[in-house]
Amino acid sequence: MSWKFWQKTKEEDNKPRKKKTRSREWLDAIVFAVVAATIIRVFFIEAYTIPTGSMERSLLIGDFLFVSKVNYGARIPMTPVAFPFAHHTMPLTGTKAYWDGVQWKYRRLPGLSDIKRNDVVVFNYPQGDTVALERQDVDYYQMVRSEGWSAVNTQYTVVSRPVDKRENYIKRCIGIAGDTVSMTAGLVSVNGKPEKLKNTGQFSYEVTFKSTDVNFGIFEEMGFSMRSADPDIMQMSQNSYAFTGSELMMDKVRKLDFVASVKELSKPAGQAEIDVFPHDPNRNWNVDNFGPIIIPKKGWTVKLDSASMPLYERSIRIYEGNKLEKSGNGWLINGKPADSYTFKMDYYWMMGDNRHNSLDSRYWGFVPEDHIVGKALFIWMSFDTNGNFFNKIRWSRLLRGIH
């Protein structure tokens, strides 16, 4: 190093650095905050809110949750070019909040544990790959079944969404990969073992009173909602009412001296519902009676025939990205004849705790592992949107863990 070069470098180091302007300092701080918050949100923890009653009474409308990305392993963004803090739609303009010109393969960092039965899980809605923008509150495929493909695609703006930009749902994991699930008269069985609804879950009951003179205020004190928008009690006949409540709540109702009987309300076996998975006219399944269904597991091979294809066709074609075609009495997968298929991912069966008010796996089937977002940990804030000004915060639910 020459003496002149060393001297010049020393003089430059001794020069006073130009001070940043106030606006530049604010800009640097904002950029740092956005980058740091994005990293935390993508790889560690994210806040969610409960918009519907499908998980009542485990989770209530107005609950704000922290969801861990670490427990199951953070998913590497599959659509990396996106506006920070927006999911799929910009809040003011209503335009797309991402660019799907760049798509990365599904990858996940190592997690602390696998998904277990009864975990409360946040995931991307599996059938959210196609959406009618004017009717985003309604499942596109359900609209097609009821209105026809041509009518839906001519009346509405239909778009497709990448996996990580589909709507976020929260449900309880009833079955993991490899399990066999079924339901009889509203009671779920996993691997042949009946699994009663958790005490915080809700079911429908028919309550018959001994007379028409009933003080319904007592039911409000028990925790039943009497709001006109979403009542837990609805009249069926002169002395009979349909109640929606937990098993513990209904045990208290049974003990009332003016109650004649309490029985569970479920659809009869054999009464088919076309909107119930797998939408197969040869299966007389409904929301309270279905199965058995084997949940696909990575490495599991299924025989392809008329019985299995309604259950697994969407998983093979859409979730695992194969070209699937019918060829005579057989099938072509990616142009090659196939009489079996080996799954590349694990799948899960998710259901809401509010059994008769939940859009869940009974309607759209399996949740693939690449749709899993994270595990719900605890409630950090809860607002009762129907409460008065001083009663809006549900203090008893703050910092409550989710089980």
Side-chain angles (χ1 to χ4, degrees), residues 2 25 27 45 66 70 87 90 125 130 150 205 281 310 331 360 373 377:
S2 67
E25 288 178 347
L27 179 62
I45 198 166
F66 275 132
V70 177
H87 185 42
M90 295 295 289
Y125 179 43
T130 309
S150 179
Y205 300 82
W331 297 89
D360 53 35
V373 174
L377 292 183

mmCIF file of all heavy atoms in Angstrom, residues 2 25 27 45 66 70 87 90 125 130 150 205 281 310 331 360 373 377:
data_model
loop_
_atom_site.group_PDB
_atom_site.id
_atom_site.type_symbol
_atom_site.label_atom_id
_atom_site.label_comp_id
_atom_site.label_asym_id
_atom_site.label_seq_id
_atom_site.Cartn_x
_atom_site.Cartn_y
_atom_site.Cartn_z
ATOM 1 N N SER A 2 0.652 2.207 -0.897
ATOM 2 C CA SER A 2 1.492 3.399 -0.987
ATOM 3 C C SER A 2 1.132 4.397 0.097
ATOM 4 O O SER A 2 0.019 4.371 0.631
ATOM 5 C CB SER A 2 1.337 4.044 -2.371
ATOM 6 O OG SER A 2 0.031 4.551 -2.512
ATOM 7 N N GLU A 25 -34.421 9.054 7.660
ATOM 8 C CA GLU A 25 -34.436 8.226 8.874
ATOM 9 C C GLU A 25 -35.780 7.521 9.037
ATOM 10 O O GLU A 25 -35.842 6.331 9.376
ATOM 11 C CB GLU A 25 -34.136 9.094 10.098
ATOM 12 C CG GLU A 25 -32.688 9.554 10.189
ATOM 13 C CD GLU A 25 -32.455 10.441 11.400
ATOM 14 O OE1 GLU A 25 -33.465 10.888 12.019
ATOM 15 O OE2 GLU A 25 -31.288 10.689 11.736
ATOM 16 N N LEU A 27 -37.874 6.808 6.583
ATOM 17 C CA LEU A 27 -37.986 5.814 5.523
ATOM 18 C C LEU A 27 -37.217 4.545 5.881
ATOM 19 O O LEU A 27 -37.726 3.427 5.720
ATOM 20 C CB LEU A 27 -37.462 6.394 4.210
ATOM 21 C CG LEU A 27 -37.486 5.439 2.993
ATOM 22 C CD1 LEU A 27 -38.925 5.034 2.679
ATOM 23 C CD2 LEU A 27 -36.830 6.103 1.790
ATOM 24 N N ILE A 45 -44.789 -16.322 13.633
ATOM 25 C CA ILE A 45 -46.117 -16.240 14.228
ATOM 26 C C ILE A 45 -46.938 -15.193 13.483
ATOM 27 O O ILE A 45 -46.391 -14.220 12.960
ATOM 28 C CB ILE A 45 -46.025 -15.893 15.736
ATOM 29 C CG1 ILE A 45 -47.310 -16.238 16.465
ATOM 30 C CG2 ILE A 45 -45.603 -14.451 15.950
ATOM 31 C CD1 ILE A 45 -47.156 -16.244 17.975
ATOM 32 N N PHE A 66 -53.172 -15.934 17.947
ATOM 33 C CA PHE A 66 -51.825 -16.048 17.421
ATOM 34 C C PHE A 66 -51.646 -17.465 16.918
ATOM 35 O O PHE A 66 -51.964 -18.426 17.617
ATOM 36 C CB PHE A 66 -50.779 -15.722 18.485
ATOM 37 C CG PHE A 66 -50.485 -14.255 18.608
ATOM 38 C CD1 PHE A 66 -50.462 -13.644 19.854
ATOM 39 C CD2 PHE A 66 -50.216 -13.485 17.488
ATOM 40 C CE1 PHE A 66 -50.199 -12.289 19.968
ATOM 41 C CE2 PHE A 66 -49.951 -12.130 17.596
ATOM 42 C CZ PHE A 66 -49.941 -11.538 18.836
ATOM 43 N N VAL A 70 -44.064 -22.140 13.547
ATOM 44 C CA VAL A 70 -42.907 -22.944 13.954
ATOM 45 C C VAL A 70 -43.304 -24.375 14.290
ATOM 46 O O VAL A 70 -42.558 -25.316 13.998
ATOM 47 C CB VAL A 70 -42.205 -22.283 15.166
ATOM 48 C CG1 VAL A 70 -41.043 -23.135 15.657
ATOM 49 C CG2 VAL A 70 -41.737 -20.892 14.811
ATOM 50 N N HIS A 87 -53.316 -10.425 1.994
ATOM 51 C CA HIS A 87 -53.353 -11.859 1.687
ATOM 52 C C HIS A 87 -53.499 -12.071 0.176
ATOM 53 O O HIS A 87 -52.524 -12.318 -0.508
ATOM 54 C CB HIS A 87 -54.483 -12.531 2.467
ATOM 55 C CG HIS A 87 -54.515 -14.014 2.306
ATOM 56 N ND1 HIS A 87 -53.378 -14.784 2.329
ATOM 57 C CD2 HIS A 87 -55.543 -14.880 2.103
ATOM 58 C CE1 HIS A 87 -53.694 -16.052 2.165
ATOM 59 N NE2 HIS A 87 -55.014 -16.136 2.013
ATOM 60 N N MET A 90 -56.025 -6.470 -2.306
ATOM 61 C CA MET A 90 -55.670 -5.186 -1.716
ATOM 62 C C MET A 90 -56.899 -4.603 -1.016
ATOM 63 O O MET A 90 -58.016 -4.639 -1.570
ATOM 64 C CB MET A 90 -55.186 -4.229 -2.801
ATOM 65 C CG MET A 90 -53.903 -4.673 -3.470
ATOM 66 S SD MET A 90 -52.496 -4.692 -2.333
ATOM 67 C CE MET A 90 -52.233 -2.943 -2.094
ATOM 68 N N TYR A 125 -57.933 -22.842 2.209
ATOM 69 C CA TYR A 125 -59.128 -23.554 1.786
ATOM 70 C C TYR A 125 -58.838 -24.370 0.529
ATOM 71 O O TYR A 125 -58.515 -23.802 -0.517
ATOM 72 C CB TYR A 125 -60.244 -22.541 1.539
ATOM 73 C CG TYR A 125 -61.550 -23.117 1.081
ATOM 74 C CD1 TYR A 125 -62.073 -24.267 1.664
ATOM 75 C CD2 TYR A 125 -62.277 -22.512 0.071
ATOM 76 C CE1 TYR A 125 -63.279 -24.793 1.250
ATOM 77 C CE2 TYR A 125 -63.491 -23.018 -0.353
ATOM 78 C CZ TYR A 125 -63.984 -24.166 0.237
ATOM 79 O OH TYR A 125 -65.172 -24.693 -0.180
ATOM 80 N N THR A 130 -60.351 -21.910 -7.254
ATOM 81 C CA THR A 130 -61.177 -21.178 -8.214
ATOM 82 C C THR A 130 -62.233 -20.384 -7.452
ATOM 83 O O THR A 130 -62.890 -20.927 -6.553
ATOM 84 C CB THR A 130 -61.861 -22.139 -9.205
ATOM 85 O OG1 THR A 130 -60.877 -23.012 -9.766
ATOM 86 C CG2 THR A 130 -62.534 -21.372 -10.327
ATOM 87 N N SER A 150 -71.617 -23.265 -17.151
ATOM 88 C CA SER A 150 -71.764 -22.169 -18.123
ATOM 89 C C SER A 150 -72.375 -20.934 -17.470
ATOM 90 O O SER A 150 -71.898 -19.808 -17.677
ATOM 91 C CB SER A 150 -72.627 -22.628 -19.294
ATOM 92 O OG SER A 150 -72.808 -21.585 -20.229
ATOM 93 N N TYR A 205 -79.998 -30.239 19.001
ATOM 94 C CA TYR A 205 -80.854 -31.069 19.844
ATOM 95 C C TYR A 205 -82.308 -30.643 19.696
ATOM 96 O O TYR A 205 -82.589 -29.460 19.459
ATOM 97 C CB TYR A 205 -80.461 -30.953 21.320
ATOM 98 C CG TYR A 205 -79.046 -31.385 21.625
ATOM 99 C CD1 TYR A 205 -77.973 -30.516 21.423
ATOM 100 C CD2 TYR A 205 -78.782 -32.645 22.144
ATOM 101 C CE1 TYR A 205 -76.662 -30.902 21.713
ATOM 102 C CE2 TYR A 205 -77.483 -33.044 22.448
ATOM 103 C CZ TYR A 205 -76.439 -32.165 22.226
ATOM 104 O OH TYR A 205 -75.154 -32.557 22.521
ATOM 105 N N PRO A 281 -73.259 -39.669 -6.671
ATOM 106 C CA PRO A 281 -74.651 -40.120 -6.580
ATOM 107 C C PRO A 281 -74.799 -41.577 -6.145
ATOM 108 O O PRO A 281 -75.880 -41.996 -5.739
ATOM 109 C CB PRO A 281 -75.180 -39.910 -8.005
ATOM 110 C CG PRO A 281 -73.970 -39.853 -8.875
ATOM 111 C CD PRO A 281 -72.882 -39.270 -8.034
ATOM 112 N N PRO A 310 -64.002 -41.313 -7.108
ATOM 113 C CA PRO A 310 -64.702 -40.128 -6.596
ATOM 114 C C PRO A 310 -64.043 -39.553 -5.343
ATOM 115 O O PRO A 310 -64.097 -38.337 -5.115
ATOM 116 C CB PRO A 310 -66.109 -40.665 -6.290
ATOM 117 C CG PRO A 310 -66.277 -41.820 -7.216
ATOM 118 C CD PRO A 310 -64.922 -42.457 -7.286
ATOM 119 N N TRP A 331 -57.728 -45.737 -16.671
ATOM 120 C CA TRP A 331 -57.322 -44.347 -16.462
ATOM 121 C C TRP A 331 -55.938 -44.109 -17.040
ATOM 122 O O TRP A 331 -55.102 -45.022 -17.097
ATOM 123 C CB TRP A 331 -57.318 -44.018 -14.965
ATOM 124 C CG TRP A 331 -58.674 -44.120 -14.352
ATOM 125 C CD1 TRP A 331 -59.248 -45.241 -13.805
ATOM 126 C CD2 TRP A 331 -59.640 -43.076 -14.243
ATOM 127 N NE1 TRP A 331 -60.510 -44.963 -13.369
ATOM 128 C CE2 TRP A 331 -60.789 -43.633 -13.616
ATOM 129 C CE3 TRP A 331 -59.666 -41.742 -14.612
ATOM 130 C CZ2 TRP A 331 -61.925 -42.896 -13.354
ATOM 131 C CZ3 TRP A 331 -60.801 -40.989 -14.349
ATOM 132 C CH2 TRP A 331 -61.919 -41.564 -13.723
ATOM 133 N N ASP A 360 -66.728 -27.796 6.186
ATOM 134 C CA ASP A 360 -65.480 -28.499 6.506
ATOM 135 C C ASP A 360 -65.269 -29.691 5.585
ATOM 136 O O ASP A 360 -65.865 -29.768 4.515
ATOM 137 C CB ASP A 360 -65.456 -28.896 7.983
ATOM 138 C CG ASP A 360 -66.693 -29.686 8.421
ATOM 139 O OD1 ASP A 360 -67.199 -30.469 7.594
ATOM 140 O OD2 ASP A 360 -67.142 -29.527 9.571
ATOM 141 N N VAL A 373 -51.052 -23.985 7.199
ATOM 142 C CA VAL A 373 -50.434 -22.700 7.537
ATOM 143 C C VAL A 373 -49.767 -22.760 8.904
ATOM 144 O O VAL A 373 -48.605 -22.397 9.061
ATOM 145 C CB VAL A 373 -51.484 -21.565 7.512
ATOM 146 C CG1 VAL A 373 -50.877 -20.260 8.013
ATOM 147 C CG2 VAL A 373 -52.035 -21.388 6.104
ATOM 148 N N LEU A 377 -52.457 -21.122 18.698
ATOM 149 C CA LEU A 377 -51.855 -21.232 20.029
ATOM 150 C C LEU A 377 -52.737 -20.675 21.141
ATOM 151 O O LEU A 377 -53.092 -21.382 22.074
ATOM 152 C CB LEU A 377 -50.500 -20.506 20.050
ATOM 153 C CG LEU A 377 -49.370 -21.119 19.233
ATOM 154 C CD1 LEU A 377 -48.098 -20.303 19.429
ATOM 155 C CD2 LEU A 377 -49.128 -22.570 19.632
#
